[in-house]
Amino acid sequence: MGRVNDRKIALVTGANKGIGFAVAHGLGALGNTVAVGARDDARRDEAVERLRASGADAFGVALDVTSDESVAAAAATIARTAGRLDVLVNNAGIAGRTDGGAQDPTTLDLDVLRTVLDTNVFGVVRVTNAMLPLLRRADAPRVVNVSSNMGSLTLRTGPVMAAYAPSKSMLNSITAQYARRLADTHVIVNACCPGYVATDFTGFAAPRTPEQGAAIAIRLATLPDDGPRGGFFDDEGVVPW
Ligand code: NDP
C-alpha cells in the first residue's frame, strides 16, 4: 500500500457527476488519491475510468449516503485500502420533488422533506461520523460540506424551496457544531456554496461550470493548518448564515 501512503486520500460523495466529479478531478490533479463515492456501480466505474484517464489515482467506493450499511461498508473499504482519510467532501445532495419549480411550504409533502433531509443532512452526519476515526488518523484532516446560499437565512435566494433550502440551513448549522466539537483537534470542518452551476441538478441551465463550482470545495479541502474553521464560504469569501 506504499502507493497510497505517499498521497493524501480524499473521499468525495456523489462523485460520479456534476460538482462532485469536478471536485474529484481537481483533487486528483493536485496529487491526491481520490475515493469516488457513488451509489450506482456503472456510474461509479465510469467516473473512476474517466479520472484515471485524466492521470488521477482513483478508486471506487460504493456509497449510498442514506444507508447505514452502505456507509459502514464504505468506511471499511477505505480503512482496508488506505488506512486513513485526509479529506472528506460531503457533496451528495438532492433538491427533492418540486411542483412548478418550487416547494411550497403551505402544501409541503412531509415525505419530500424527510427524503431531502435524509440525503442532505442525515447523510452528511452518517458519512462524517463513519469516517471520523479514519480522518483522525491523518496529519491534516479536512471536511467540506457542500451547502448552498439558498440555505442562507440572510440571503434567501432562489425560488421558494421549503425542503431543500432548510436542509442546507441545517447543514450549515451542523457544520458549525462539528467545528465547535472538533475545535481542539486537527480536523478542520467548513461549508461552501459552489454558486449556480450547470449540472443535472439545475437542468444544465446555470452560468457556472462544474469546475468553477468545485473550486471553493477544493480550496477548503486543502486549507493550511491555520485555516478557518466552522465557516461558510464561496469564491467571494464568507457567505452570511
Ligand atoms: P448533481 O445532481 O449533478 O449530482 C448530485 C450527486 O449526488 C450525484 O452524484 C448523485 O448520484 C449524488 N447523490 C444523490 N443522492 C445520493 C445518495 N443517497 N448517495 C450517494 N450519492 C447521492 O448535482 P450537483 O453536482 O449540482 O450538486 C452537488 C452538490 O452541490 C449538492 O449538494 C447540491 O445541493 C449542491 N449545490 C449545487 C448547486 C448547483 O447550482 N448545481 C448550487 C448550490 C449547491 P446519482 O448520480 O446516483 O444520482
Side-chain angles (χ1 to χ4, degrees):
M1 286 286 111
R3 179 184 65 98
V4 286
N5 283 340
D6 301 339
R7 295 164 170 264
K8 291 196 170 186
I9 317 296
L11 171 65
V12 183
T13 70
N16 54 286
K17 67 179 182 182
I19 295 164
F21 181 82
V23 172
H25 184 265
L27 289 173
L30 290 173
N32 297 280
T33 293
V34 184
V36 177
R39 56 186 167 178
D40 180 87
D41 293 344
R43 289 196 289 269
R44 184 176 60 251
D45 289 349
E46 196 250 344
V48 169
E49 282 315 309
R50 280 169 63 201
L51 289 165
R52 287 181 179 160
S54 76
D57 189 26
F59 65 96
V61 178
L63 180 56
D64 179 340
V65 303
T66 64
S67 159
D68 288 342
E69 294 73 29
S70 172
V71 170
T77 298
I78 292 170
R80 205 171 48 243
T81 311
R84 65 164 203 284
L85 187 63
D86 298 275
V87 171
L88 169 62
V89 180
N90 286 306
N91 163 81
I94 58 170
R97 202 175 70 230
T98 57
D99 190 4
Q103 289 163 340
D104 182 340
T106 66
T107 55
L108 188 62
D109 179 345
L110 288 183
D111 283 339
V112 173
L113 187 55
R114 278 189 203 98
T115 303
V116 172
L117 291 175
D118 198 18
T119 300
N120 295 5
V121 180
F122 307 158
V124 172
V125 174
R126 194 178 277 120
V127 172
T128 303
N129 289 353
M131 299 300 162
L132 260 177
L134 292 167
L135 286 159
R136 287 181 189 274
R137 287 187 206 156
D139 289 336
R142 307 289 179 254
V143 178
V144 183
N145 294 333
V146 180
S147 184
S148 168
N149 60 19
M150 287 181 66
S152 165
L153 297 177
T154 306
L155 298 177
R156 304 185 191 193
T157 55
V160 171
M161 290 287 275
Y164 178 71
S167 79
K168 295 300 191 181
S169 307
M170 189 169 177
L171 177 58
N172 288 346
S173 183
I174 279 187
T175 302
Q177 299 306 314
Y178 271 107
R180 292 179 66 204
R181 173 65 179 82
L182 296 168
D184 296 334
T185 76
H186 56 326
V187 185
I188 297 183
V189 185
N190 286 290
C192 68
C193 174
Y196 195 32
V197 178
T199 63
D200 269 339
F201 196 90
T202 54
F204 295 93
R208 286 162 66 80
T209 65
E211 292 69 31
Q212 288 171 320
I216 184 62
I218 292 168
R219 184 152 2 129
L220 294 174
T222 55
L223 281 176
D225 291 343
D226 61 352
R229 290 167 177 254
F232 181 27
F233 302 95
D234 67 11
D235 282 349
E236 310 292 314
V238 172
V239 182
W241 296 117

